PDB file of all heavy atoms in Angstrom:
ATOM      1  N   LEU A  22     -14.867  -7.734  -8.524  1.00 96.00           N
ATOM      2  CA  LEU A  22     -15.113  -6.985  -9.765  1.00 96.00           C
ATOM      3  C   LEU A  22     -14.567  -5.562  -9.679  1.00 96.00           C
ATOM      4  O   LEU A  22     -14.044  -5.031 -10.663  1.00 96.00           O
ATOM      5  CB  LEU A  22     -16.601  -6.976 -10.101  1.00 96.00           C
ATOM      6  CG  LEU A  22     -17.177  -8.293 -10.598  1.00 96.00           C
ATOM      7  CD1 LEU A  22     -18.675  -8.174 -10.810  1.00 96.00           C
ATOM      8  CD2 LEU A  22     -16.487  -8.751 -11.865  1.00 96.00           C
ATOM      9  N   PHE A  23     -14.668  -4.935  -8.516  1.00 96.00           N
ATOM     10  CA  PHE A  23     -14.122  -3.588  -8.340  1.00 96.00           C
ATOM     11  C   PHE A  23     -12.604  -3.590  -8.494  1.00 96.00           C
ATOM     12  O   PHE A  23     -12.035  -2.730  -9.175  1.00 96.00           O
ATOM     13  CB  PHE A  23     -14.526  -3.033  -6.973  1.00 96.00           C
ATOM     14  CG  PHE A  23     -13.992  -1.662  -6.701  1.00 96.00           C
ATOM     15  CD1 PHE A  23     -14.450  -0.572  -7.415  1.00 96.00           C
ATOM     16  CD2 PHE A  23     -13.020  -1.458  -5.739  1.00 96.00           C
ATOM     17  CE1 PHE A  23     -13.954   0.702  -7.168  1.00 96.00           C
ATOM     18  CE2 PHE A  23     -12.516  -0.202  -5.487  1.00 96.00           C
ATOM     19  CZ  PHE A  23     -12.995   0.883  -6.210  1.00 96.00           C
ATOM     20  N   VAL A  24     -11.942  -4.575  -7.888  1.00 94.00           N
ATOM     21  CA  VAL A  24     -10.483  -4.669  -8.004  1.00 94.00           C
ATOM     22  C   VAL A  24     -10.080  -4.950  -9.447  1.00 94.00           C
ATOM     23  O   VAL A  24      -9.113  -4.373  -9.969  1.00 94.00           O
ATOM     24  CB  VAL A  24      -9.928  -5.735  -7.035  1.00 94.00           C
ATOM     25  CG1 VAL A  24      -8.465  -6.004  -7.305  1.00 94.00           C
ATOM     26  CG2 VAL A  24     -10.133  -5.298  -5.598  1.00 94.00           C
ATOM     27  N   VAL A  25     -10.814  -5.826 -10.132  1.00 94.00           N
ATOM     28  CA  VAL A  25     -10.527  -6.114 -11.541  1.00 94.00           C
ATOM     29  C   VAL A  25     -10.693  -4.853 -12.374  1.00 94.00           C
ATOM     30  O   VAL A  25      -9.870  -4.564 -13.261  1.00 94.00           O
ATOM     31  CB  VAL A  25     -11.433  -7.253 -12.052  1.00 94.00           C
ATOM     32  CG1 VAL A  25     -11.384  -7.350 -13.563  1.00 94.00           C
ATOM     33  CG2 VAL A  25     -11.032  -8.562 -11.431  1.00 94.00           C
ATOM     34  N   LEU A  26     -11.738  -4.072 -12.119  1.00 93.00           N
ATOM     35  CA  LEU A  26     -11.947  -2.821 -12.849  1.00 93.00           C
ATOM     36  C   LEU A  26     -10.777  -1.862 -12.638  1.00 93.00           C
ATOM     37  O   LEU A  26     -10.282  -1.255 -13.599  1.00 93.00           O
ATOM     38  CB  LEU A  26     -13.257  -2.165 -12.402  1.00 93.00           C
ATOM     39  CG  LEU A  26     -13.557  -0.797 -12.981  1.00 93.00           C
ATOM     40  CD1 LEU A  26     -13.921  -0.941 -14.455  1.00 93.00           C
ATOM     41  CD2 LEU A  26     -14.672  -0.129 -12.223  1.00 93.00           C
ATOM     42  N   LEU A  27     -10.312  -1.725 -11.396  1.00 88.00           N
ATOM     43  CA  LEU A  27      -9.177  -0.841 -11.128  1.00 88.00           C
ATOM     44  C   LEU A  27      -7.911  -1.328 -11.826  1.00 88.00           C
ATOM     45  O   LEU A  27      -7.179  -0.537 -12.433  1.00 88.00           O
ATOM     46  CB  LEU A  27      -8.929  -0.744  -9.621  1.00 88.00           C
ATOM     47  CG  LEU A  27      -9.948   0.032  -8.817  1.00 88.00           C
ATOM     48  CD1 LEU A  27      -9.606  -0.032  -7.337  1.00 88.00           C
ATOM     49  CD2 LEU A  27     -10.046   1.464  -9.272  1.00 88.00           C
ATOM     50  N   GLU A  28      -7.648  -2.622 -11.746  1.00 86.00           N
ATOM     51  CA  GLU A  28      -6.435  -3.181 -12.358  1.00 86.00           C
ATOM     52  C   GLU A  28      -6.472  -3.089 -13.884  1.00 86.00           C
ATOM     53  O   GLU A  28      -5.439  -2.897 -14.525  1.00 86.00           O
ATOM     54  CB  GLU A  28      -6.257  -4.639 -11.941  1.00 86.00           C
ATOM     55  CG  GLU A  28      -5.857  -4.818 -10.497  1.00 86.00           C
ATOM     56  CD  GLU A  28      -4.397  -4.522 -10.244  1.00 86.00           C
ATOM     57  OE1 GLU A  28      -3.597  -4.537 -11.199  1.00 86.00           O
ATOM     58  OE2 GLU A  28      -4.055  -4.260  -9.082  1.00 86.00           O
ATOM     59  N   ALA A  29      -7.636  -3.250 -14.469  1.00 87.00           N
ATOM     60  CA  ALA A  29      -7.743  -3.286 -15.930  1.00 87.00           C
ATOM     61  C   ALA A  29      -7.850  -1.907 -16.564  1.00 87.00           C
ATOM     62  O   ALA A  29      -7.534  -1.746 -17.742  1.00 87.00           O
ATOM     63  CB  ALA A  29      -8.945  -4.126 -16.346  1.00 87.00           C
TER      64      ALA A  29
END
Side-chain angles (χ1 to χ4, degrees):
L22 288 176
F23 179 68
V24 171
V25 167
L26 175 72
L27 289 177
E28 289 283 340

